[in-house]
Amino acid sequence: MNISEKITVRDNLKNLHNDGDNMPQHIGIIMDGNGRWAESRKLPRTLGHRAGVDAIRDIITKASNLGLQYLTLYAFSTENWKRPEAEVSALMKLLIEYLKKEVRELHKNNVRIHTIGDITKFPESVREEISRAKELTSGNNGLCVNIALNYGSRDEIVRAVKKISNKILCKEMDLKDIDEDLISIHLDTGGIPQVDLLIRTSGEYRLSNFLLWQCAYAELWFTDVYWPDFNGEHLVKAIHDFQNRQRRFGGV
Ligand code: FPP
């Protein structure tokens, strides 16, 4: 980043603080490129994921300081089980390590930890650590960090359809009660506003089964930067670009 870009980013930061009304409420991030970051340094892929955790720490701090309300991070998808067993278990270990190490600091900063996705498939040790983190931070009202774990949008929609169908079968609700709001509240993100800004790193231009319903009107922002190199200045730039977009939600 050259000096003039740095100054622009600094100015943007000032604008962001002054322009609270136009802040996105909910940002989703597809954190991509850990593997390529590591490979480009002739390092094992797992070190890329480790560097990715450092980036998560920085982004949570920045998002919290900016007063963001919801940050959803795509940490492990329903498709990621296809990776070599060693990489999957390294990711599980990293998650436990991260929660153990960081949860107190997150709690001190009024951050609330939430997850989406079907974590019943995770080892018990991981589930226990997730429950501890959620419980400890459940009363906080600052930034809500929503970690997507064994998450896939299609799987989430299938599970929501089953929940709704079950209620109809049990006569707790009627077919005519089904509308967009009802579906929304049966998704894992029930109660969380739709995504305003979706960021994907590493030069890929796909949604990869991430928050498909919730991103219906999201502004999309892509960067070539690999996730471990993504920092607060990039986040500010993405928010600033968002603030300069015209959102019409299908109107004129
Ligand atoms: C994509 O990189 C990244 C992931 C598979 C998930 C992100 C995981 C982390 C940032 C670390 C663990 C998370 C927590 C919450 C502790 P990739 O491996 O697909 O990269 P590539 O496309 O370059 O191979």
Side-chain angles (χ1 to χ4, degrees), residues 31-36 45 49 52-53 56 74-75 80 83 87 91 94-95 98 147 227:
M31 310 178 288
D32 199 6
N34 294 348
R36 278 164 286 163
R45 290 176 58 83
H49 295 312
V53 174
I56 289 180
Y74 207 3
N80 284 155
R83 294 188 176 210
E87 186 169 338
L91 280 166
L94 260 183
L95 179 61
Y98 170 75
I147 314 176
W227 174 251

Side-chain angles (χ1 to χ4, degrees), residues 1-34:
M1 192 178 283
N2 63 37
I3 288 285
S4 75
E5 279 172 325
K6 271 195 176 141
I7 291 169
T8 314
V9 166
R10 215 179 304 133
D11 287 343
N12 289 348
L13 233 182
K14 271 192 256 154
N15 291 340
L16 287 180
H17 283 300
N18 293 338
D19 198 1
D21 284 344
N22 206 11
M23 258 302 269
Q25 252 192 304
H26 184 177
I27 298 181
I29 308 186
I30 302 177
M31 310 178 288
D32 199 6
N34 294 348

Side-chain angles (χ1 to χ4, degrees), residues 73-90:
L73 301 171
Y74 207 3
F76 193 89
S77 76
T78 44
E79 286 73 34
N80 284 155
W81 297 107
K82 292 184 212 149
R83 294 188 176 210
E85 217 179 297
E87 186 169 338
V88 170
S89 71

